[in-house]
Amino acid sequence: MTVDEGQPGYARHAVEVFAEELDEFLAAVMAEAGEHADPADLTGLDEPFERRVLGTAGTRGMLGIGLPDEVPAGPWLRAAFDFAVAAHDAPLVDTAVTLAGFSVAAFANEEQHAFFLPRMTGGELTMCVAYSEREAGSDLRALSATAVEEGGGYVLSGVKTLVTGAHKADWCCTVARTGPLGSAAMTMFLVDMAAPGVRVVRRPTMNGWTLDEVHFDAVRLPPGAVLGEPGRAWRQLAAALRAERSGMFHLGFARHALDGLRRHLRETGGGDPVSRDAFAALEVDFTAGVRLACRALSADRGSSDAVAQASMAKVFATELLQRIAQEATEAAGHQGMIHAPLFAPEPAPAAAGGRFAWEYLERVHGTIGAGANELQRDTIAQAGLGLPTARRK
């Protein structure tokens, strides 16, 4: 991320200073990451190491940067954090602040603010986000999990799928139906993962790490578990997902992958002219992706333009990652197809130590998560171009 792409003048110095400090910190802590490998986790690192990095970043005030939005240059500082964390492969991607910080900051009541925000920004508390279900992936209006009012609180039942980090989370931000099927009555809840009736099942992905299922078996929730307004979760979800789609995490991953491809081309004599031209085109696309992300950050929140810009940034960045992975595997030939997990103790005898093949498998899920790209294109057409809504068959 460059610090002058569309940023207001007052933000530039603050972002430059923060980005430099963050880069130094991440380079130092990640120097020992190879001693803490865990291929079954999305980050590739074990939980004790993750929590140590999380706590240190929290103590240094890095996790809460940009919260609340009223902080001067807040969105740009947050974007700088997202980009740097991804570019360094640091285990700070699925933190409580990253996943649920917007929802808690925007919708929590005074008591929830007092309990959650200091612990989230201090790195003391981890949280997962559980929205999707087997029959309600991109269309959350089809969700079947229910929360029935009982004894002044709620009883939560249902199964959430495709959840990252549930096996190591202290709390879960989830959504359940609190009205009849077909209605928009859904409510957001904060659930203690240690509560009776909460069960996590880990499911392997094609890249070796695990996504989780979270089973809520008649979990009793107190009234204070409601996040925001009862029955208003749909609007809250839409706002939270828009905040998640600036694309800066994906662009940080893209920067890391492009740097790896550049090193490979140099080590192998620069590659053939076709590979060099393809690499140059990807660098141009990366610059375009940064501009799109900055436009999304600059747009007036809540406007139709902001909705369209966020979707554009997400689609472009996630598909750029796939193009980079494709080019890397092709440029490396058969060595680009040898796979190794992140932070493997002994790098595989392959291009980039097996990273190119890992990227090739990994970058599928970015185009599906946080709203599939097909649906994002619908949003761009409707909110950005003003085209009429058409029901999919």
Side-chain angles (χ1 to χ4, degrees):
M1 176 187 176
T2 54
V3 299
D4 58 351
E5 291 286 350
Q7 297 178 41
Y10 66 81
R12 292 175 188 169
H13 179 67
V15 173
E16 287 175 351
V17 172
F18 173 64
E20 183 176 350
E21 179 187 354
L22 182 61
D23 276 330
E24 291 178 0
F25 166 72
L26 293 174
V29 298
M30 294 305 291
E32 59 178 285
E35 303 171 19
H36 302 277
D38 178 6
D41 193 87
L42 171 61
T43 65
L45 296 162
D46 62 37
E47 184 177 346
F49 180 74
E50 284 192 48
R51 286 190 179 263
R52 179 153 60 86
V53 175
L54 185 67
T56 305
T59 300
R60 298 181 65 154
M62 292 175 169
L63 299 179
I65 204 77
L67 287 177
D69 284 344
E70 289 75 16
V71 172
W76 298 98
L77 291 166
R78 191 76 214 163
F81 176 89
D82 294 350
F83 182 90
V85 164
H88 282 271
D89 271 342
L92 297 174
V93 174
D94 52 350
T95 66
V97 173
T98 299
L99 296 174
F102 176 86
S103 296
V104 173
F107 309 124
N109 58 34
E110 186 175 343
E111 183 178 350
Q112 290 168 332
H113 265 284
F115 178 82
F116 284 102
L117 278 183
R119 291 169 173 81
M120 291 167 71
T121 59
E124 304 170 33
L125 179 149
T126 57
M127 188 177 292
C128 63
V129 172
Y131 298 153
S132 298
E133 299 177 6
R134 290 190 183 94
E135 304 300 326
S138 296
D139 184 9
L140 292 176
R141 287 170 291 194
L143 63 82
S144 59
T146 60
V148 179
E149 291 189 70
E150 184 178 302
Y154 292 83
V155 176
L156 174 63
S157 299
V159 179
K160 297 293 181 176
T161 59
L162 307 179
V163 183
T164 57
H167 58 279
K168 59 188 177 185
D170 301 314
W171 286 78
C172 175
C173 180
T174 192
V175 177
R177 186 171 297 285
T178 48
L181 190 65
S183 75
M186 294 180 284
T187 301
M188 190 173 284
F189 296 92
L190 294 173
V191 182
D192 186 343
M193 292 296 284
V198 178
R199 180 165 54 93
V200 175
V201 179
R202 301 179 71 171
R203 304 292 188 190
T205 68
M206 64 181 179
N207 217 7
W209 55 274
T210 57
L211 276 169
D212 299 325
E213 288 179 359
V214 181
H215 295 246
F216 298 116
D217 301 323
V219 180
R220 295 192 171 275
L221 303 178
V226 174
L227 179 60
E229 299 181 51
R232 304 281 288 182
W234 180 251
R235 290 181 179 273
Q236 294 174 199
L237 277 171
L241 288 172
R242 282 198 299 273
E244 185 180 337
R245 290 176 184 149
S246 74
M248 281 302 179
F249 269 131
H250 302 298
L251 290 169
F253 293 135
R255 183 69 270 157
H256 188 286
L258 279 170
D259 289 346
L261 178 54
R262 179 192 289 110
R263 285 192 297 271
H264 171 76
L265 292 175
R266 286 176 175 170
E267 291 167 0
T268 55
D272 57 70
V274 173
S275 294
R276 292 198 298 271
D277 285 350
F279 177 80
L282 290 170
E283 284 284 5
V284 171
D285 285 348
F286 172 80
T287 301
V290 171
R291 285 189 173 274
L292 279 173
C294 289
R295 286 173 61 184
L297 287 165
S298 301
D300 292 332
R301 178 168 290 174
S303 67
S304 59
D305 181 60
V307 175
Q309 294 290 348
S311 292
M312 289 167 63
K314 191 265 185 183
V315 168
F316 192 90
T318 54
E319 294 181 3
L320 171 61
L321 273 170
Q322 290 188 342
R323 294 198 300 275
I324 295 171
Q326 178 75 40
E327 177 55 33
T329 54
E330 290 181 1
H334 71 278
Q335 281 205 343
M337 303 305 293
I338 301 174
H339 177 277
L342 297 182
F343 308 108
E346 296 183 10
R355 178 65 182 253
F356 291 163
W358 185 92
E359 291 280 346
Y360 188 88
L361 295 176
E362 183 63 24
R363 299 313 172 191
V364 174
H365 91 270
T367 60
I368 301 170
N373 283 8
E374 289 79 7
L375 296 180
Q376 298 307 315
R377 286 183 164 85
D378 285 348
T379 299
I380 295 166
Q382 294 159 19
L385 302 176
L387 297 178
T389 303
R391 181 178 293 277
R392 290 183 179 272
K393 295 182 180 179

